[in-house]
Amino acid sequence: QVQLVESGGDSVEAGGSLRLSCVASGDTSGGACMAWFRQAPGKEREGVASIYTFGGHTSYVDSVKGRFTISRDNNKNTVYLQMNSLKPEDSAMYYCAAAHAYCQRQVFRPGDYPYWGQGTQVTVFS
């Protein structure tokens, strides 16, 4: 079992930045695919970025490329999502997800991740 706790969500003006954190605990041994998803009211959950903890290979959804950066600190069992140049359409609940598996490049299927955090709210106002 893996427990995930997100933090860092806030309300920010368009063009601003936020950094989300996801701390993992429990069975954190071995490599894992860690991902960020988001879900806005009335919309499906959307994959944003993923990273493989051993090797650091990353993937991003097209809408955030060049603005968001996913990274990890294995010593702290923490994955980050640095979000720059935020837009109102980035507003959503952001969830951290984990799977003891390789990440599939440019593929974000919620069903592939058995472990989820409770989410952290990001609101971008113009």
Side-chain angles (χ1 to χ4, degrees), residues 64-117:
V64 307
K65 285 180 180 177
R67 300 189 298 122
F68 290 11
T69 302
I70 189 170
S71 61
R72 91 285 190 208
D73 183 335
N74 290 343
N75 291 326
K76 297 182 179 179
N77 290 327
T78 301
V79 172
Y80 304 98
L81 185 68
Q82 178 67 44
M83 305 186 295
N84 299 328
S85 302
L86 282 162
K87 304 175 181 180
E89 52 263 42
D90 294 318
S91 297
M93 184 72 79
Y94 282 71
Y95 297 92
C96 179
H100 288 298
Y102 291 108
C103 297
Q104 295 191 54
R105 288 189 180 273
Q106 304 305 123
V107 175
F108 303 98
R109 281 192 296 259
D112 290 343
Y113 297 86
Y115 307 111
W116 291 84

Side-chain angles (χ1 to χ4, degrees), residues 2 27-35 50-54 56-57 72 74 79 97-103 113 115:
V2 176
D27 182 12
T28 59
S29 62
C33 181
M34 304 290 294
S50 66
I51 187 167
Y52 187 62
T53 55
F54 286 3
H57 300 294
R72 91 285 190 208
N74 290 343
V79 172
H100 288 298
Y102 291 108
C103 297
Y113 297 86
Y115 307 111

